[in-house]
Amino acid sequence: LVSVKGQKRFVQRLVFTAAKVWDPSRNELAEPSFDGAWVTSAREWVLTTASGSMHFFPHDLETQVANGNGVPEARKIFQGGDGGHLARIVAFVEIGPTFFATASLDHQVIFWDKNGQVDSRVDLGCSVLSMDFIKGKSLLLAAACERPVNVFTVDEGSYRGPLPKLEGHEHNLVQIVAGTNLFFSLDEASVVRVWDASSLTSVQTIGGFPLKVTKMVLAVGHGRLILAGSRLHVYDLNAPACKLVGAPVHAPGGDDPPAKPPAGVTTARARPPPKAAILNASSGSLVSLTERDVRLHSRAGPPP
């Protein structure tokens, strides 16, 4: 699952991996090179190909593909090659209503206007793997195949310039994700550094050996940082951190007291811990035994 900014929902990756887009530079149907990005100001989807082209589709793309109607015709196409990217685009960031940035394995970060004209470009000297934007601070953050975090200043319509790189990681970066006043960088050793967006200083380090993860998602609405490898590792942010990333005050990871359940409803936390459990692998059902009762858990949901 990939988080879609500006939308309170998740989009299944299956929708995009099942889709194909026409790549004029190769005169063939091509697989999109990443899950897709939602352009809030224009209410449209953008998918890219391995050659660096960008294809913009109507807002109901996911519905049409999921219903088996195929991929509709792209509203507009920004070609790769001359003036654009020469390799796979790994990140698309909407900076303003008419201004966005892309990052690619061709070492470049390119700033575009809504007509597909290149405003500026920055060559980082190595493949860019991830990028995110903090609107309130006018900061664009990029993780390339190197240890420092690249930081740029931008506004809604133009690129302003680079800031000093942020040192601290001992291994090459893999990904970067940002909230309102905090951002997180992940490296190849599964170490995550937490950074203050105001002072651009590292405030905490988590993860590392024996953790082995390759993907990081900041679930702002839930106040959680999720690291993914062979397993999912979920970190609940405390109340101050929730406020810094823009999470609701009563996010699950906060220090605020949990809401009381309705009268007569027993929460999972209030139940006694099970003494034993039996799993039926064929049906996916689980039977748990406590000192007071026996409960049947199914895939449909929690026990009554």
Side-chain angles (χ1 to χ4, degrees), residues 191-219:
V191 173
V192 177
R193 278 190 173 270
V194 186
W195 304 84
D196 184 333
S198 298
S199 62
L200 295 180
T201 56
S202 178
V203 296
Q204 188 177 358
T205 302
I206 59 177
F209 182 83
L211 202 66
K212 293 183 179 180
V213 296
T214 57
K215 180 72 175 178
M216 176 172 57
V217 174
L218 178 61

Side-chain angles (χ1 to χ4, degrees), residues 37-252:
W38 172 253
V39 186
T40 305
S41 59
R43 290 189 55 78
E44 60 188 4
W45 291 102
V46 56
L47 304 182
T48 69
T49 65
S51 62
S53 299
M54 289 181 284
H55 302 248
F56 294 80
F57 294 91
H59 65 89
D60 61 347
L61 168 66
E62 53 179 319
T63 303
Q64 294 193 42
V65 175
N67 291 338
N69 298 328
V71 180
E73 184 178 351
R75 290 180 173 178
K76 56 187 175 183
I77 300 175
F78 294 170
Q79 293 282 6
D82 294 339
H85 287 292
L86 302 175
R88 182 167 72 94
I89 296 175
V90 298
F92 178 102
V93 175
E94 184 180 12
I95 297 175
T98 62
F99 195 60
F100 62 91
T102 54
S104 170
L105 297 180
D106 65 2
H107 306 178
Q108 297 191 79
V109 174
I110 298 182
F111 299 87
W112 310 73
D113 65 20
K114 66 177 182 179
N115 298 317
Q117 298 299 314
V118 175
D119 175 85
S120 304
R121 67 175 68 237
V122 180
D123 193 323
L124 299 186
C126 54
S127 295
V128 188
L129 303 178
S130 178
M131 189 169 64
D132 211 339
F133 176 58
I134 304 179
K135 184 174 183 180
K137 302 295 182 181
S138 297
L139 295 176
L140 184 71
L141 311 163
C145 292
E146 57 182 358
R147 298 176 183 179
V149 177
N150 291 274
V151 185
F152 310 98
T153 55
V154 296
D155 58 30
E156 289 193 350
S158 63
Y159 166 65
R160 295 301 184 187
L163 292 177
K165 295 184 178 183
L166 306 182
E167 304 284 350
H169 282 281
E170 297 180 358
H171 300 82
N172 288 349
L173 296 177
V174 174
Q175 190 185 1
I176 195 158
V177 296
T180 305
N181 289 290
L182 281 182
F183 60 94
F184 306 81
S185 55
L186 170 67
D187 68 22
E188 293 176 342
S190 301
V191 173
V192 177
R193 278 190 173 270
V194 186
W195 304 84
D196 184 333
S198 298
S199 62
L200 295 180
T201 56
S202 178
V203 296
Q204 188 177 358
T205 302
I206 59 177
F209 182 83
L211 202 66
K212 293 183 179 180
V213 296
T214 57
K215 180 72 175 178
M216 176 172 57
V217 174
L218 178 61
V220 174
H222 297 275
R224 288 172 176 162
L225 180 69
I226 304 171
L227 306 181
S230 57
R231 297 181 178 181
L232 291 178
H233 304 266
V234 181
Y235 294 83
D236 286 329
L237 305 180
N238 58 22
C242 282
K243 293 177 181 178
L244 288 174
V245 300
V249 176
H250 296 286

